[in-house]
Amino acid sequence: MVAKSAPGPERTVVVRGSGSGIAQDISVRDHRLVADELAGVGDGADRGPDPYELLLASLGACTAITLRLYAERKGWALEDAEVRLRHRRVHADDCADCETKTGFVDSIEVEVTLHGALDAEQRERLLQIAGRCPVNRTLQSEIKIRERFGAQG
């Protein structure tokens, strides 16, 4: 019998229009962020990262945190991990290793640079671990998004 892991904490993020343009104010616990589109995209004023940049930031932060925690647990000399991410949409027929064969496929490229006195085996293991961070797993798993209207005020 395989034991099921316990569900993680429920997270709540609140996003509201800022009142002008399309910038959105984001509240996460006691933290405040702004999301916007680039100037010239709709009414964007580039007041903050766009939604895809926030998605990439989430994946990159999770990857770097996972690497740090793993290296610390192993006692490895990881000084720093730099994670560069790039999102683009590609034609499905241009993607040889994709299941989708029509329309478009979202592609996220992740480049990890490790700094520190690590041997080749440690570097290879850390690269394997990078692809197993929780946000990466979420993005590659089945995701259910359920929209509903909240109370009007």
Side-chain angles (χ1 to χ4, degrees):
M1 183 168 131
V2 176
K4 291 184 179 179
S5 60
E10 182 177 308
R11 293 172 171 87
T12 301
V13 173
V14 178
V15 180
R16 291 190 70 153
S18 64
S20 65
I22 59 175
Q24 302 295 304
D25 293 322
I26 303 169
S27 298
V28 182
R29 298 185 322 272
D30 292 330
H31 307 285
R32 302 292 174 262
L33 306 161
V34 173
D36 200 356
E37 291 287 349
L38 293 170
V41 177
D43 289 333
D46 199 17
R47 291 187 41 219
D50 74 25
Y52 278 104
E53 291 166 333
L54 290 170
L55 178 69
L56 294 178
S58 177
L59 177 57
C62 184
T63 300
I65 290 167
T66 298
L67 291 171
R68 166 64 57 208
L69 293 174
Y70 188 85
E72 284 179 0
R73 193 178 88 216
K74 292 290 191 176
W76 294 350
L78 176 64
E79 294 172 11
D80 183 33
E82 178 179 297
V83 183
R84 289 182 177 267
L85 302 101
R86 179 178 160 198
H87 170 261
R88 60 191 177 107
R89 298 193 79 203
V90 297
H91 287 280
D93 55 0
D94 291 335
C95 184
D97 61 340
C98 293
E99 291 178 24
T100 302
K101 297 302 176 196
T102 60
F104 292 93
V105 175
D106 285 281
S107 172
I108 297 176
E109 297 171 13
V110 180
E111 178 184 323
V112 178
T113 303
L114 304 173
H115 302 277
L118 301 163
D119 63 34
E121 189 175 304
Q122 290 169 332
R123 288 178 181 278
E124 181 61 33
R125 181 64 181 145
L126 286 170
L127 188 57
Q128 292 170 357
I129 294 300
R132 295 171 57 191
C133 84
V135 171
N136 189 313
R137 288 182 175 200
T138 297
L139 291 172
Q140 293 191 46
S141 70
E142 181 177 356
I143 299 173
K144 298 287 186 203
I145 299 174
R146 295 177 173 90
E147 292 91 0
R148 64 182 176 85
F149 286 111
Q152 292 181 320

